[in-house]
Amino acid sequence: MLSPSLEDYLEEIYRFSKQKGFVRTTDIALKLDVSLPSVTKAVKKLTSKGYLDYERYQNIQLTSNGKKLGKFLVDRNRTLREFLEVIGSDCHLEEEAEAMEHYLSEETVESITNLVKFFAENPDYQKELLQFQEENKE
């Protein structure tokens, strides 16, 4: 199991690998607003856990396990942002999803994913939920 911090690094590494096809430590440092030594330390930990292939002064490569977990982390974040939208939460979606994502089990994320899909396929129920919430605001 990874710490929330290492999950954040792996999530961003996965995103960069999908967007650019390569990942540099400087990209991660800028995105996460951390120092280069912090990125290097995290990358070394993720490499030792089998999620990355990394050699000093080279681009970061995801292993098959890194790709699998990275995809899960990115999907989880997207699902939580969609969930917050679906339930009509009046919050900063990215910050709230980030706060939630590290503390939910895979089973809970799966249930939330199904709920989001349910409301996407049944928009009238979502409208009823939002109306109910509006009528019951304190």
Side-chain angles (χ1 to χ4, degrees):
M1 184 120 196
L2 297 180
S3 68
S5 175
L6 287 178
E7 283 187 352
D8 287 342
Y9 281 102
L10 187 59
E11 186 177 339
E12 290 308 325
I13 290 168
Y14 181 82
R15 282 191 175 111
F16 273 112
S17 72
K18 287 297 187 188
Q19 292 168 0
K20 296 171 107 178
F22 62 92
V23 185
R24 300 175 306 193
T25 54
T26 53
D27 295 328
I28 303 304
L30 289 171
K31 176 66 178 176
L32 294 177
D33 194 26
V34 295
S35 69
L36 280 171
S38 294
V39 175
T40 301
K41 184 178 176 182
V43 166
K44 286 179 180 179
K45 284 183 182 178
L46 289 167
T47 299
S48 72
K49 293 180 179 290
Y51 296 108
L52 303 176
D53 285 325
Y54 174 71
E55 291 185 35
R56 197 170 181 190
Y57 306 116
Q58 301 295 317
N59 289 336
I60 301 165
Q61 300 292 319
L62 289 157
T63 64
S64 59
N65 283 340
K67 288 176 186 175
K68 182 179 175 184
L69 182 56
K71 181 180 182 335
F72 168 79
L73 297 173
V74 167
D75 289 347
R76 175 183 69 183
N77 181 273
R78 184 187 64 249
T79 294
L80 292 174
R81 282 184 280 118
E82 289 172 354
F83 169 71
L84 293 167
E85 285 183 70
V86 163
I87 64 169
S89 180
D90 187 25
C91 66
H92 187 278
L93 297 177
E94 289 178 22
E95 289 177 10
E96 192 82 5
E98 177 66 29
M100 293 169 58
E101 68 185 359
H102 301 294
Y103 303 101
L104 299 175
S105 68
E106 286 186 44
E107 295 80 11
T108 298
V109 172
E110 186 177 325
S111 293
I112 290 171
T113 300
N114 288 331
L115 181 65
V116 169
K117 287 178 184 177
F118 174 80
F119 280 129
E121 293 174 11
N122 300 280
D124 289 340
Y125 289 121
Q126 182 193 11
K127 288 177 187 171
E128 284 185 42
L129 169 67
L130 296 175
Q131 181 180 354
F132 176 83
Q133 286 178 239
E134 188 63 33
E135 291 169 359
N136 288 286
K137 279 188 177 179
E138 293 182 15

